[in-house]
Every structure is written in C-alpha cells, then in structure tokens.
Amino acid sequence: MSDAGSGSESSGSGSNDGSSGSTVQNAINNRGRPQREYREEMVKDMAVEQMKQKMHDIVNRLGKEVERKMDIAVDDLFTEVKQFNLKNYELKQLFNEKSTSHEGHRKSAKTDGKLPDKVFMPRNSLLTDLFEVKHIKTIYHIFIVILIILFLNTVVHDFVDTGSINLGFRPIIAGFGKFHIALMLWCCMQTSTFLLYPCFRMWALFRKNFTAGSPMKKLWDWSAVVLFVSYQCGFIAAAIKALLWFDLPPASSVAYLMEMTRFLMKAHAFIRSNVPRALVSGKKHADSKPTSPDTYQGLPSFSKYAYFLFAPTLVYRDEYPRTKQIRWRVVARHALEVVGVVFYISFILERFLAPLFEKFGHAKISSGSFVLSLFGSIMPGSLSFLCAFYSLLHAWMNGAAELLRFADRMFYRDWWNESTFAGYIRSWNVVVHDWLYTYVYKDCVEHVFRNCRPLATVTVFTVSSVFHELILAFTFRFFYPVMFVQFEFLGLMLMFVTKRLGKNVGNVLLWLVLSIGNGLHLSLYNMEYYARRNCPDIGDSIVDYMVPVSWSCNGISHNPNWTITAPWSLP
C-alpha cells in the first residue's frame, strides 16, 4: 500500500511538474502577444463595467420616478375625492334656499372670544363648477355670441356710415397708451416692496440685542412703526407723482393705481402677520440655534414672501394649498377671456356710452337729455359691471392661480343670489373682503374699539371708499366723489334697509339698486370727463380740480315745459 501511495504521489508530482512547465511555456508565449490585444481586452472590460453602472443608475432612477408618480397619483386621487365631496356639498347649497353662513370659509370662533381666521383649502371658483352644468355653459356661449354680434355691428355700422372699417380699437389704444411706462413704474413699485423684507428682518434681528422692557427697545420698535407708516405714505405719494408726471391714459392709470393699492395691502398684510412672531421669537428662541437662515427667529423666508406678493390672495400665510402641476390650456383659455372682455367693454364704450356723453361741454344739455342719458347708460353700465367681474375676479384671478399652482380659488361667492347688501359686500369680492376683515375689521373689534362692531363696520366702509375714490380721482384727474358717497353713505344705509326684507324682494331690490347705481355712476363720471375735455377754460388749481366742471361749463338747463298726459285722456 505504501509503495502504491508513493507511486501515485510520484506520478502526481510528475504531472504537476508537467503542468507547471506548460504554464511557464504559456506565459512565455503570452509575452510575445501584441500589446494591442491586451489593450482591447482592457477596454472591453471597462465598457462592460460602465454599462453595468449605467444600467444600475437607470434602474434606480426608474424606481424613484415610479415611486414619485405613484405618490402624485395617490395625492391627486385624495385631492379629487375631497374636491368632489366639497363640490357636491357646495352645489347642493346653491340650490338650497337655506344657504350656509357666509363665514363658512372660516373657522369657528376661538375660545378666547376673538374673531375667527380665514382658512385656505383646495377648491374651485364657483363659476368653474357651474360651467360643468350644460345649461350654465349655454349662457356662457350666449355671451360669446353677443360679443361676436356686437363686433359685426361695429364693422357694418362704420362701413355703411364712413366707408371704412373700425374694429373698435380706438378706446383700447387711447386707454392703454404709455403702457410700457406703466410697466416700468410697476417694476419700481415691485422692487420697493421687495426691499421691505430685508428691512423687516433687520429690525427683527437688532431688537433681540436689547433687554426686555428697556427704553431703547421701545424706542427701536416705535421708530420702526413710524418708518413703516412713512414708507406707506411715501409709497402712495411717489406712485401718484409718477402717474401725473408721465400723464398716463385712463386704462393704464387705473391698472397702475390698482397695483399700487395691491402692493400697499400686501405689505401691510405681511408686516401685520409677522410682527407678533418677531415680538415673541426672542423669548422662545433665545437659547436655541436656528436650523437654517430661513427659519431664523421663526420668521418666513424670502421665497415665501416673494410667493405671497404674486399669489392671488391678500391674506398672508407661510403655506397655501397648492396644485401639483400647471394646466397651460387653462391659463391660455383665461388669457383669451380677459382679452375678449377688454374688447367687449371697448365696444360698449364706443357704441353705447360715448355717443351719449361726447357732446357734454360744447353746449348746454337740457334736463330731459340728461335723464335720457342716465337711463340710456343703465344697460351698458350693467353689462360693463358683469364684464369687469368676470374678467378680474374669475378669468384673471384663476389664470394667475393656475400659473402659481394656488389651489384655493374662492375669489367670490354667489353674490347674484344675495338678498341683503351686507351679503353682497361679503360675496362680491372675497379677496378684498378677506383683507378688510382680517386686518381692519378684526383688529378694530379686538384692539381699537373693543368689541364695538358698528364702529368697525364704518371703518371698513371708510377705508374701502377712500381707496376706491383715490383710484378714480387720479385716473380721470378730477375729484368727483360719487363712489365715496355710494360706499360710505348709501352702502351703510342699504345694509339696514335690506336687512329684514324677504329673499325674493331683497334680491330684486339689490339688482335694481346695482343697475341704477352703475348707470348713475357711469353717467356722472362720463359727463365730467367729457366736459373737462370740451370746455376751453379750465384752471389747474386745487379748486378747479375739486369743483365739477359739468355743473358750470355748459351744464344742465332745466326744462320747465314737462307735461304728463294720461293715456286714456281724450284729445
């Protein structure tokens, strides 16, 4: 056995010696191969490794993309379910005589007795949901047909009378002249509002260096208040001075002044919402380090401030409900609607209003002609009123909300169903009403007048009246306080008159008052505008600016020969 084992070992060692010899020989032969083949093998190995790495990255990216899309799909599903339930609830309320309270979009009253705050939630505008009903959609189509007929009427009328075709561009070209200058001034206002943020952060940063209750800290805080009020006053003065210096036309002026007012309201909302946070942040965060510069002292980041400046709301929040994506077709449709409404109002001005008032100031107007002009402007005034509502509060606001993915689109409620003037004021323009409620009415009730709500209501009407009249006065370059009287006096009176009326009677009376009020408003402002254009001797003093020219320069002459004949009287 030992011999056999030793034999096998010798044979194994012999074979090993043979294999090692062949390996050495192969190694010698491999040294003789060209270097090119070796490099090719290395390149192939590297290419394979790179391909494996790329495939691994692709698989990871696909996995993350699928996971992200699944998350979006699930979120969209829950959002659609919530909006579907909310839409069904709101549509039921529309057809329900006993509608819910106007404060349904706010929380219930707080336990400390303070007024409730506005709550943002994802929801569509009311007309967006109503247009899903084919009957309401047909009414929308009827308005489009009326626009087309009015356009054709303008073309045919001008072609028959003058032999030329006028497309109704004259009011648009005249009204929106120097629009590039208005845009330049808008950029200056926007930059000024942006600079408010670092000033606010600097105030909040330096006030923590003072001890609590020290006179220097109070002086620092009151100095900031005085500077902010001075900034607001200076902002208004500079904006109006620039408007008068460049002599902007009416349409450009009203757009510019509305943007000025929006910037003022945005600045006040941001400061008013964040000053309390800055006042208490020093105590809460004295011993803690901020996690990032954007969260220093609990104040919002600049990106949140910038989003708020462009968002279609006037009430500040750090976060708003957002949609997942921008629907560009919706943006394009709303943009076309805005342009169409501008042409619609241009046709109304050129075909219905200008012929009634363009002669004012050339010669005296009889009282009968004035009454006819007044009643002749009621229907165009009502159409302009509805067009302005749809263009600004529906098409423009929804287009801006879609661009910014702003999900809460309750810019108005069903004001057309209201039976009281108070309900109409709350429902007509929810965006402005929320600002007045949050930063004027609520502060007056809780801090200024101490639960005296009538005085707070008068303050709200006064603030609204002043800014409405400010816009109109500097748009047309004369002071004619028709809007101020309508808001401050007639508005408050109608709140009490319509309070106890029935729903049907109140709704009819509300529409009647709106129609006559819009007609009277357009009549008086058109009379004064054309009288100042046509009367030769108008001074530039403040008295000439304040006194209506239409009353003195070829004004209204009384006709004493009016008679009323009964239809059944005999000749």
Side-chain angles (χ1 to χ4, degrees):
M1 292 293 293
S2 60
D3 293 339
S6 61
S8 61
E9 290 178 358
S10 61
S11 62
S13 61
S15 61
N16 290 334
D17 293 339
S19 61
S20 59
S22 62
T23 302
V24 172
Q25 185 64 34
N26 290 334
I28 294 173
N29 294 333
N30 287 336
R31 291 195 189 99
R33 291 181 180 179
Q35 295 294 327
R36 181 177 58 82
E37 294 182 2
Y38 178 74
R39 287 197 298 268
E40 288 179 356
E41 292 294 331
M42 293 294 294
V43 169
K44 289 180 181 179
D45 292 340
M46 293 174 62
V48 171
E49 291 297 327
Q50 290 181 356
M51 186 174 295
K52 288 181 179 179
Q53 185 64 33
K54 288 183 178 180
M55 290 296 296
H56 182 70
D57 293 340
I58 291 174
V59 170
N60 288 337
R61 284 200 300 268
L62 287 176
K64 292 180 180 178
E65 184 69 18
V66 170
E67 184 179 358
R68 186 182 67 85
K69 289 187 176 181
M70 287 294 294
D71 291 339
I72 293 176
V74 172
D75 291 340
D76 289 342
L77 178 62
F78 281 108
T79 302
E80 290 179 3
V81 170
K82 291 179 181 179
Q83 289 187 350
F84 179 77
N85 293 332
L86 181 62
K87 185 189 301 184
N88 287 340
Y89 174 75
E90 291 180 347
L91 288 176
K92 288 179 182 178
Q93 296 301 319
L94 286 178
F95 298 100
N96 186 9
E97 288 293 329
K98 298 180 180 180
S99 59
T100 57
S101 171
H102 292 288
E103 306 301 323
H105 66 295
R106 300 190 181 101
K107 291 181 180 179
S108 58
K110 296 180 180 178
T111 56
D112 55 1
K114 293 185 178 181
L115 295 175
D117 296 324
K118 178 178 173 61
V119 178
F120 290 92
M121 62 182 67
R123 49 193 163 185
N124 290 330
S125 293
L126 185 56
L127 287 179
T128 302
D129 293 335
L130 287 178
F131 284 155
E132 299 296 326
V133 182
K134 63 178 181 179
H135 306 291
I136 306 298
K137 190 70 173 179
T138 301
I139 298 176
Y140 173 78
H141 294 158
I142 291 173
F143 270 90
I144 295 178
V145 171
I146 294 175
L147 174 62
I148 296 173
I149 293 174
L150 193 59
F151 175 79
L152 295 177
N153 176 63
T154 301
V155 172
V156 173
H157 183 275
D158 291 331
F159 183 75
V160 172
D161 282 357
T162 64
S164 61
I165 296 178
N166 176 27
L167 299 179
F169 291 157
R170 284 181 297 185
I172 298 176
I173 296 174
F176 286 99
K178 300 182 180 179
F179 195 72
H180 62 288
I181 298 178
L183 285 177
M184 179 192 69
L185 296 177
W186 179 89
C187 293
C188 295
M189 292 192 297
Q190 181 72 74
T191 304
S192 171
T193 311
F194 276 141
L195 293 177
L196 185 65
Y197 179 83
C199 296
F200 174 75
R201 290 294 294 264
M202 184 177 64
W203 166 77
L205 173 66
F206 281 100
R207 74 179 307 274
K208 72 168 188 174
N209 297 327
F210 302 105
T211 59
S214 64
M216 291 301 299
K217 192 168 190 177
K218 293 181 179 180
L219 178 63
W220 177 255
D221 292 340
W222 280 108
S223 299
V225 172
V226 172
L227 287 175
F228 178 68
V229 174
S230 302
Y231 163 78
Q232 295 280 65
C233 296
F235 186 90
I236 297 174
I240 292 176
K241 182 67 176 179
L243 170 73
L244 299 177
W245 177 267
F246 290 103
D247 193 22
L248 298 181
S252 298
S253 296
V254 72
Y256 170 74
L257 290 172
M258 289 175 68
E259 282 296 287
M260 177 200 74
T261 307
R262 186 179 69 89
F263 284 128
L264 289 171
M265 298 168 77
K266 293 267 190 178
H268 178 82
F270 177 79
I271 297 298
R272 175 63 184 86
S273 299
N274 289 283
V275 162
R277 298 166 61 177
L279 293 177
V280 301
S281 60
K283 298 179 181 180
K284 291 184 177 180
H285 302 282
D287 300 328
S288 61
K289 295 183 178 180
T291 56
S292 67
D294 289 338
T295 59
Y296 183 76
Q297 289 190 345
L299 299 179
S301 63
F302 180 76
S303 60
K304 294 180 180 178
Y305 175 65
Y307 181 82
F308 168 66
L309 289 183
F310 291 97
T313 181
L314 297 173
V315 178
Y316 178 79
R317 296 287 186 272
D318 285 342
E319 300 291 340
Y320 298 97
R322 306 284 295 275
T323 57
K324 296 297 181 182
Q325 59 184 357
I326 300 175
R327 297 172 296 174
W328 291 104
R329 295 185 63 180
V330 174
V331 176
R333 187 181 76 245
H334 288 310
L336 289 176
E337 288 175 338
V338 172
V339 174
V341 169
V342 170
F343 277 101
Y344 207 159
I345 295 179
S346 174
F347 293 147
I348 292 173
L349 290 175
E350 193 169 37
R351 280 288 163 250
F352 297 106
L353 294 177
L356 293 175
F357 302 101
E358 61 185 358
K359 300 299 182 182
F360 271 80
H362 283 303
K364 282 188 174 293
I365 304 296
S366 65
S367 54
S369 299
F370 168 71
V371 173
L372 289 177
S373 299
L374 173 61
F375 280 89
S377 61
I378 289 179
M379 188 56 67
S382 300
L383 286 175
S384 301
F385 170 76
L386 294 175
C387 287
F389 157 74
Y390 187 85
S391 175
L392 294 177
L393 294 178
H394 181 76
W396 182 268
M397 298 296 285
N398 274 279
E402 190 66 38
L403 280 173
L404 295 169
R405 299 191 294 112
F406 189 82
D408 192 346
R409 302 180 184 183
M410 193 183 70
F411 307 123
Y412 55 87
R413 290 193 291 274
D414 56 332
W415 56 267
W416 49 86
N417 291 329
E418 295 296 338
S419 58
T420 63
F421 191 75
Y424 162 75
I425 290 296
R426 287 192 292 262
S427 304
W428 152 254
N429 189 342
V430 173
V431 179
V432 174
H433 171 262
D434 285 338
W435 186 89
L436 291 171
Y437 168 82
T438 303
Y439 302 111
V440 180
Y441 182 82
K442 193 169 182 288
D443 282 348
C444 286
V445 170
E446 296 176 356
H447 304 292
V448 180
F449 300 125
R450 297 298 180 181
N451 294 323
C452 185
R453 300 197 177 194
L455 286 178
T457 302
V458 172
T459 304
V460 167
F461 272 85
T462 302
V463 171
S464 179
S465 303
V466 167
F467 276 95
H468 276 84
E469 193 58 46
L470 179 72
I471 292 173
L472 291 176
F474 287 100
T475 294
F476 298 110
R477 312 296 195 274
F478 58 80
F479 178 71
Y480 203 15
V482 181
M483 180 71 79
F484 183 85
V485 172
Q486 285 185 349
F487 269 79
E488 186 70 11
F489 300 105
L490 297 180
L492 288 172
M493 183 184 69
L494 286 173
M495 286 188 66
F496 296 100
V497 170
T498 60
K499 190 173 183 179
R500 300 186 181 279
L501 293 177
K503 183 174 180 60
N504 294 330
V505 176
N507 187 251
V508 171
L509 180 61
L510 179 66
W511 273 103
L512 182 63
V513 169
L514 287 177
S515 300
I516 296 176
N518 287 319
L520 181 64
H521 189 265
L522 281 177
S523 297
L524 295 178
Y525 270 97
N526 274 284
M527 285 172 51
E528 184 68 16
Y529 177 76
Y530 282 104
R532 287 179 175 268
R533 291 182 58 182
N534 297 328
C535 290
D537 299 326
I538 300 177
D540 296 329
S541 65
I542 298 179
V543 176
D544 295 324
Y545 178 83
M546 302 289 288
V547 176
V549 174
S550 57
W551 292 8
S552 57
C553 177
N554 294 326
I556 301 172
S557 62
H558 177 61
N559 183 5
N561 297 322
W562 285 6
T563 58
I564 300 176
T565 304
W568 56 82
S569 62
L570 296 176

